Amino acid sequence: MTGTQVSAAPAVQRGRPRSGAVDSAVIDTVVRLLEEGVGLGDLSMERIAREAGVGKATVYRRWPGKEALMLDVLRSLDIAYDPPPAGSSVRDALVHLLELMRRRVLAKRSSAVLRTVLAQVKAHPAVWREYHDTILEARRQVFGEVLRRGIAEGLIRPGADLELLTDLLVSPLLSRSVLHEWKELPEGLCAEIVDTVLYGAGPPDREGTG
């Protein structure tokens, strides 16, 4: 990636092991402050440390700067993508991935906090680019692997735009959670989305098409 890169704290730490409780306290503090309307530009590492009840040096030992800390905040709000169950069909694997998103979106506080955090992070290009190139890209790769299997199995026509198909799969959930948050995400929605996309992406010689 060109330009400024935002790196999380180094994986190898010297001295005492990191405390998960301290990490959580700091991340929860950032989320709370953003929820309360504090702008990302107004957040300093000193204020974050004070509000979290830890020393400034403790925060800097974990994150070299605010941008790296914000990336971990975004990771904490994102979905842990468990792989689809072994032996699952392409359709069931896609439904599984969308269900992970739906369940997270249904947690209204998580959805609202994520909207708030993303709105602020987008004003900081280096953080936004790193978020896109790490967290979002990892998610799209999982979908891409399943869709490529769909091509190999003849469910999806060769040459189909996998980036577009991924967008078509995830956009209905994102639209309802970000743009139309009052809309429901009922049981069965993910299966309906997958069936609709797979039908449209199927080979042209399927019955009933011409």
Side-chain angles (χ1 to χ4, degrees):
M1 182 178 69
T2 59
T4 305
Q5 287 194 346
V6 180
S7 301
V12 178
Q13 301 286 332
R14 297 183 181 275
R16 291 179 297 176
R18 284 175 57 161
S19 166
V22 171
D23 289 2
S24 296
V26 172
I27 288 173
D28 289 346
T29 295
V30 175
V31 171
R32 174 177 59 80
L33 291 171
L34 292 172
E35 277 189 293
E36 292 173 356
V38 179
L40 185 55
D42 296 325
L43 277 180
S44 65
M45 297 292 271
E46 291 79 4
R47 179 175 182 178
I48 293 168
R50 183 175 66 253
E51 295 272 356
V54 300
K56 182 173 67 174
T58 298
V59 177
Y60 274 110
R61 277 199 299 270
R62 288 159 168 78
W63 298 280
K66 186 170 61 177
E67 290 80 7
L69 171 54
M70 283 305 306
L71 192 59
D72 274 355
V73 170
L74 287 167
R75 287 193 179 104
S76 76
L77 296 171
D78 201 66
I79 306 161
Y81 268 105
D82 301 324
S88 60
S89 66
V90 169
R91 176 191 181 274
D92 289 346
L94 292 172
V95 171
H96 167 83
L97 294 174
L98 287 187
E99 276 293 329
L100 292 177
M101 288 186 64
R102 187 183 74 90
R103 293 183 195 129
R104 185 59 182 266
V105 167
L106 283 176
K108 296 298 184 182
R109 180 179 181 274
S110 295
S111 180
V113 171
L114 185 58
R115 285 197 302 273
T116 299
V117 173
L118 288 180
Q120 298 216 31
V121 168
K122 289 185 75 171
H124 294 75
V127 183
W128 178 251
R129 172 56 61 181
E130 191 73 8
Y131 172 68
H132 180 276
D133 288 351
T134 56
I135 300 172
L136 293 186
E137 183 58 29
R139 179 191 305 171
R140 298 182 73 86
Q141 286 179 6
V142 174
F143 277 92
E145 290 173 5
V146 178
L147 292 171
R148 279 189 288 274
R149 181 154 64 92
I151 293 177
E153 294 178 7
L155 297 173
I156 299 173
R157 61 180 175 271
D161 187 335
L162 301 189
E163 288 285 324
L164 176 60
L165 292 182
T166 300
D167 287 339
L168 292 172
L169 287 165
V170 304
S171 291
L173 296 183
L174 294 178
S175 174
R176 293 190 182 201
S177 62
V178 177
L179 300 178
H180 309 287
E181 61 268 22
W182 60 88
K183 289 190 175 181
E184 296 297 324
L185 299 173
E187 294 281 346
L189 175 62
C190 294
E192 184 175 356
I193 292 170
V194 170
D195 289 340
T196 301
V197 172
L198 287 181
Y199 183 85
D205 58 348
R206 73 165 68 217
E207 184 180 355
T209 65

